[in-house]
Amino acid sequence: MRLDLFLSKTGLVKRRPIAKAMCDANKVQRNGKTAKASDEVRATDTLRINYGVRTVEIEVLDVPSGNVAKNQRENFYRVTKEEKEEI
């Protein structure tokens, strides 16, 4: 599954165009390298997402095959680290 699609299906980003824009702005890393929206996401990948004032690192547990119910989203990833910037 494409990275931008994974981010939107799992609710890490609200909409796919926003996920693509974040990838284009180098705000998403996959396994320690800058990620493209079209990169393929696999289980055990590590994603680092910079939301601006907050950075989240997650481990991909599974890749959904289609739409994901809101209450099932967290079954596909685990937050390993969360940092907030001091303003």
Side-chain angles (χ1 to χ4, degrees):
M1 175 177 281
R2 288 173 55 106
L3 176 58
D4 58 347
L5 189 56
F6 176 82
L7 293 174
S8 66
K9 294 283 184 190
T10 57
L12 292 164
V13 177
K14 285 189 178 195
R15 295 180 28 230
R16 188 173 177 184
I18 296 170
K20 183 180 179 330
M22 288 177 71
C23 291
D24 292 344
N26 298 327
K27 294 193 178 271
V28 181
Q29 293 181 347
R30 182 177 151 260
N31 298 328
K33 297 180 182 175
T34 302
K36 294 186 211 173
S38 61
D39 284 352
E40 202 64 29
V41 175
R42 294 178 178 83
T44 70
D45 279 353
T46 301
L47 302 178
R48 186 173 175 87
I49 308 161
N50 181 345
Y51 293 102
V53 295
R54 180 173 69 110
T55 302
V56 177
E57 192 170 293
I58 65 160
E59 177 185 354
V60 178
L61 302 175
D62 198 9
V63 178
S65 58
N67 291 332
V68 179
K70 251 185 190 177
N71 61 352
Q72 298 295 315
R73 289 177 175 171
E74 291 188 4
N75 295 335
F76 294 96
Y77 65 89
R78 178 172 53 98
V79 176
T80 56
K81 193 178 197 181
E82 188 169 354
E83 301 168 352
K84 292 185 180 181
E85 268 186 39
E86 296 295 323
I87 299 176

